[in-house]
Amino acid sequence: MIEMIIDSKLLASMAPKITNGVINILQDVSAGIKQALREDINTYIGNFVDKYSKIKTFLFSEERHNFYDVYFPLSLKGRNKEMQVPDNPDKLFAEHNFITLLGHAGCGKTMILRHLFLSACSKSSKIPLVIELRKLKGFNGSFIDFVANKVFNFKLSQNENIFNRMLKTGNFLFLLDGYDEIAIDQKDKLTHDLENFFDSYHNNYFLLTSRPGAGAETFERFDNYHVCILSDSQVLDFIDKQLVNGCEEDLELASKIKALLSESKNNPFMKYMSSPLLLSMFILTYNEHPELPKHISSFYYNVFDTLHSKHDAKSKAGGYQHEKKSKLSQDEIRLLLEAFCFVSYMQSTYEFSPEYLHAILPKIIERLKVASKVNDVIYDLSVAISILVQDGTSYVFPHRSLQEYFAASYIAHSREEIKKTIYTKKLIKTGRYERITFWRLCEELDSSCFLQYFIIPSLEIFLEELTKMNDRSLSLSANIFFNYLEQTTTHVAKSDEKYFLFRTGNFYETITRYVHIPNFINKKLSVVIHNEVEKVAPLFINNKRTCFDSKDKSKDILVFYEDIGIYNVAEEYKNSLEKKIKEINDLLASMRDDSDALIDLI
């Protein structure tokens, strides 16, 4: 177990690092500016010490607990090694200054980041600075402006020299949280800003967290580490960790849950228990729903049901329940949540300021024709039900997966013509891999319409783009391959004498992964790059390029692709896509036949 002290001493231990690592280097700066800088950095770090040292979790939403009372150490897996999250961040950066921390919803990325920040305060050689990337939504400026303004309280135009000198010391650890939470309309610009920042201040340590597929993997300087899922033994240890300090009832609860999980190895839902967040949700809901559901959407319904009606009754003496100030029924609150989550999720808004809530909720309340005041609704969602939690002055869901569930539920309960409009025109055709969780929920709750109006049309458009004869001097198979490279923004690239395959976030690559189409092309290219690098290297040397342009059809490139047999693989890929479209159409036809058969029974 990692032993950490979190109190006033933690922040006090930062003072020498700030003074010796930054302030003393600025020899020609006035004493007044040095003191202001010292205070600004201390204030910024102190805010996160206060925020991160105590925590409300899904299980413990009533009061803040000491972070290390609930923190569970996880493992990370890189390209060539696996390691437990260290107790000192410097060990993570022993070989490289740039680390990407990747993991799916609820895997524990943010908990790891909190731990790395807190441990850095007392143990790292660097000064830790947390930047929550979602906070840049609505910020009118560049990333470097944001850092200067929010961290150091600088107006960059007036203090650019001091700012640059500080950051070029390399004495900082930047913990950049939530690359996948960047608003879509800011993504390209902010990515460019980040790359410039990394290049300018590369002597610092950088940790970037993201869900896979959002594009964070493609930053050239970064080594990618994936958060490992809980092993079977860790699942049991995690349950003990969350409940071991509780009362006798909690210890009995832990015993019952572990027994159920041990008996349920063949339940398809068991795979979700390897997620710390979903396992926490299951612990919360167990008393009211003591079984493993078969579908993730059913599980989220259980979570809402428990939070709304049952949690207080089971956790408070005398069956106490929080008063619902809004006077809305459970069904009314559910409808309101569905509408709110649909609107906010489609807007890529995951953090809700009071201004945002007061702008959106009155319109939803009016549309739903429910009688309630906005402040009462906010109170119920954040206090009585605790499905929203306060984060500074704003509100967030305990995890975005809850927002995704209610957004998908809103679509499922809409009229079919509305569903068609949403699936064909409103769902953002993004390459963000994290959308897969949302798509899976849509398919569970609204299978027929989701497949008919979203999946099949998307795959058919992709197939049409793949098979276009854009270059009639080449065969159909060759055209398919070059079209694939362009449509999926796939490249072969070189970095530090290594050759690798990379893709920027792309809708078609993501949706084919969602429907489990084997990616023969990428697999073939990856094998060739790894095993036959002598064939790849001359193309870079002779042409002085850092990556293959997807439109490059020079002689050397064409001969290379012909030699490795990639055109035949492209034909196989096209065939697998056609086969998948037929399978889904057959499934829809079967679903319609089943419905007709049931109607005939009436």
Side-chain angles (χ1 to χ4, degrees):
M1 177 182 173
I2 299 173
E3 297 292 341
M4 292 292 299
I5 298 173
I6 305 177
D7 56 20
S8 58
K9 295 179 182 178
L10 189 64
L11 189 55
S13 69
M14 289 299 306
K17 278 193 281 190
I18 295 171
T19 299
N20 299 327
V22 178
I23 305 302
N24 286 345
I25 293 173
L26 304 173
Q27 297 293 340
D28 55 342
V29 175
S30 71
I33 292 179
K34 287 183 179 181
Q35 183 59 29
L37 273 173
R38 188 182 289 109
E39 290 175 358
D40 288 338
I41 298 173
N42 263 314
T43 298
Y44 189 84
I45 294 174
N47 173 58
F48 280 96
V49 169
D50 178 67
K51 181 177 180 179
Y52 284 177
S53 62
K54 291 186 180 290
I55 185 173
K56 288 184 178 180
T57 68
F58 215 92
L59 280 172
F60 308 110
S61 60
E62 294 297 315
E63 58 181 306
R64 298 175 76 201
H65 285 248
N66 288 329
F67 175 77
Y68 284 100
D69 286 345
V70 296
Y71 172 70
F72 187 87
L74 298 170
S75 297
L76 305 176
K77 186 173 184 180
R79 183 184 292 269
N80 299 313
K81 64 178 180 180
E82 185 171 324
M83 63 185 295
Q84 190 178 59
V85 176
D87 59 352
N88 183 344
D90 291 358
K91 296 178 183 178
L92 186 61
F93 294 93
E95 298 177 3
H96 202 56
N97 283 17
F98 298 85
I99 300 292
T100 312
L101 188 64
L102 302 166
H104 296 291
C107 73
K109 297 187 298 296
T110 299
M111 292 291 281
I112 292 172
L113 183 138
R114 285 176 180 253
H115 158 68
L116 292 175
F117 169 78
L118 292 169
S119 60
C121 287
S122 60
K123 297 186 177 184
S124 174
S125 61
K126 305 289 186 181
I127 300 167
L129 299 175
V130 178
I131 310 291
E132 297 169 306
L133 294 176
R134 69 179 186 273
K135 302 282 189 183
L136 275 87
K137 185 177 178 68
F139 179 76
N140 188 22
S142 66
F143 178 75
I144 197 169
D145 292 328
F146 184 87
V147 174
N149 182 277
K150 301 297 183 182
V151 179
F152 301 108
N153 202 24
F154 273 170
K155 291 183 179 177
L156 195 57
S157 60
Q158 299 174 3
N159 300 279
E160 187 170 359
N161 180 48
I162 297 175
F163 181 81
N164 283 327
R165 287 165 61 190
M166 276 200 311
L167 294 192
K168 284 185 180 294
T169 64
N171 286 315
F172 293 96
L173 162 59
F174 285 94
L175 300 165
L176 308 173
D177 192 24
Y179 181 77
D180 55 293
E181 296 184 21
I182 297 171
I184 290 173
D185 58 357
Q186 288 184 287
K187 189 69 172 288
D188 290 342
K189 180 182 182 303
L190 186 51
T191 298
H192 179 72
D193 287 351
L194 285 170
E195 288 176 330
N196 287 339
F197 193 84
F198 301 149
D199 290 341
S200 298
Y201 307 112
H202 53 85
N203 289 325
N204 298 286
Y205 290 166
F206 292 91
L207 180 98
L208 178 66
T209 74
S210 178
R211 291 192 191 184
E217 306 95 317
T218 65
F219 283 110
E220 287 193 17
R221 289 181 179 272
F222 282 73
D223 283 346
N224 296 325
Y225 280 83
H226 292 262
V227 181
C228 297
I229 61 175
L230 295 172
S231 66
D232 289 348
S233 62
Q234 284 180 314
V235 166
L236 303 182
D237 291 341
F238 182 89
I239 295 168
D240 285 336
K241 173 74 174 181
Q242 305 310 307
L243 297 174
V244 70
N245 293 321
C247 60
E248 187 175 335
E249 283 186 6
D250 286 340
L251 297 178
E252 184 180 350
L253 176 63
S255 178
K256 289 179 179 179
I257 292 173
K258 289 191 292 183
L260 173 66
L261 297 183
S262 298
E263 297 166 359
S264 306
K265 297 297 183 183
N266 296 324
N267 187 302
F269 192 78
M270 271 299 294
K271 62 182 179 181
Y272 295 110
M273 293 298 98
S274 61
S275 159
L277 174 75
L278 293 179
L279 181 54
S280 296
M281 290 183 178
F282 182 70
I283 295 170
L284 175 74
T285 62
Y286 177 81
N287 278 339
E288 305 306 327
H289 302 278
E291 61 182 5
L292 284 171
K294 292 183 179 180
H295 300 292
I296 188 70
S297 55
S298 301
F299 175 65
Y300 280 115
Y301 176 82
N302 292 348
V303 171
F304 169 69
D305 180 57
T306 301
L307 287 173
H308 182 277
S309 301
K310 313 282 177 37
H311 180 48
D312 284 332
K314 81 175 181 63
S315 61
K316 301 288 188 298
Y320 167 81
Q321 285 188 303
H322 273 296
E323 177 191 3
K324 307 297 191 298
K325 286 188 176 182
S326 67
K327 307 301 181 185
L328 298 178
S329 67
Q330 181 168 336
D331 287 342
E332 288 173 325
I333 289 180
R334 179 184 175 86
L335 290 173
L336 188 148
L337 269 172
E338 288 177 351
F340 172 74
C341 289
F342 173 73
V343 171
S344 57
Y345 187 71
M346 291 299 113
Q347 293 176 341
S348 298
T349 300
Y350 313 118
E351 179 176 342
F352 320 113
S353 66
E355 293 79 14
Y356 182 84
L357 293 174
H358 280 85
I360 296 296
L361 287 176
K363 298 174 183 177
I364 294 174
I365 290 170
E366 181 180 359
R367 288 286 180 183
L368 295 178
K369 297 180 174 58
V370 294
S372 188
K373 297 177 181 178
V374 172
N375 285 335
D376 291 342
V377 170
I378 295 173
Y379 174 87
D380 284 353
L381 296 179
S382 61
V383 178
I385 304 174
S386 297
I387 204 163
L388 286 181
V389 296
Q390 198 154 7
D391 181 18
T393 59
S394 297
Y395 297 85
V396 295
F397 283 95
H399 200 274
R400 197 195 312 167
S401 53
L402 273 171
Q403 184 184 15
E404 291 170 322
Y405 163 70
F406 285 110
S409 186
Y410 174 85
I411 299 173
H413 293 136
S414 299
R415 301 190 309 274
E416 183 164 349
E417 61 268 26
I418 299 299
K419 294 178 185 179
K420 183 176 181 181
T421 298
I422 292 170
Y423 288 136
T424 58
K425 297 179 181 179
K426 299 298 182 182
L427 283 197
I428 300 170
K429 299 280 174 62
T430 176
R432 290 176 141 185
Y433 186 63
E434 74 269 17
R435 293 287 182 184
I436 283 182
T437 302
F438 177 66
W439 293 348
R440 186 173 293 118
L441 288 163
C442 286
E443 185 172 359
E444 281 190 9
L445 294 167
D446 189 33
S447 181
S448 177
C449 289
F450 177 72
L451 295 174
Q452 180 179 351
Y453 297 129
F454 183 70
I455 294 294
I456 288 179
S458 298
L459 295 179
E460 288 177 340
I461 291 171
F462 183 41
L463 179 62
E464 182 181 346
E465 293 296 326
L466 280 184
T467 52
K468 282 182 177 178
M469 290 294 292
N470 291 316
D471 188 339
R472 295 192 174 275
S473 68
L474 300 176
S475 66
L476 173 60
S477 297
N479 271 282
I480 291 171
F481 173 66
F482 282 105
N483 290 339
Y484 171 84
L485 293 182
E486 185 171 0
Q487 293 298 319
T488 61
T489 57
T490 298
H491 305 275
V492 180
K494 175 188 175 186
S495 177
D496 298 328
E497 303 307 318
K498 296 178 182 177
Y499 299 87
F500 59 94
L501 197 68
F502 80 91
R503 298 173 302 279
T504 55
N506 179 274
F507 173 70
Y508 290 129
E509 192 275 332
T510 303
I511 200 166
T512 51
R513 186 186 301 187
Y514 175 75
V515 296
H516 306 296
I517 295 175
N519 202 322
F520 302 114
I521 297 175
N522 285 1
K523 184 176 181 180
K524 179 70 173 179
L525 285 174
S526 296
V527 169
V528 169
I529 293 167
H530 181 71
N531 295 327
E532 303 181 51
V533 70
E534 70 279 359
K535 291 184 179 180
V536 182
L539 298 174
F540 289 93
I541 296 170
N542 295 339
N543 294 284
K544 298 179 181 179
R545 58 168 61 89
T546 56
C547 70
F548 290 146
D549 185 341
S550 62
K551 297 180 181 178
D552 188 348
K553 297 170 188 173
S554 59
K555 181 179 178 180
D556 287 344
I557 295 291
L558 293 176
V559 169
F560 169 72
Y561 286 141
E562 184 72 44
D563 286 347
I564 66 173
I566 199 67
Y567 300 143
N568 293 334
V569 172
E571 185 76 31
E572 290 180 48
Y573 182 79
K574 185 265 295 182
N575 291 340
S576 68
L577 181 56
E578 290 176 332
K579 181 180 178 182
K580 180 61 66 173
I581 292 172
K582 183 179 183 304
E583 285 178 2
I584 298 174
N585 273 314
D586 289 345
L587 174 62
L588 282 170
S590 175
M591 292 167 67
R592 286 191 290 268
D593 289 344
D594 290 343
S595 296
D596 291 342
L598 286 173
I599 291 173
D600 289 342
L601 293 176
I602 300 174

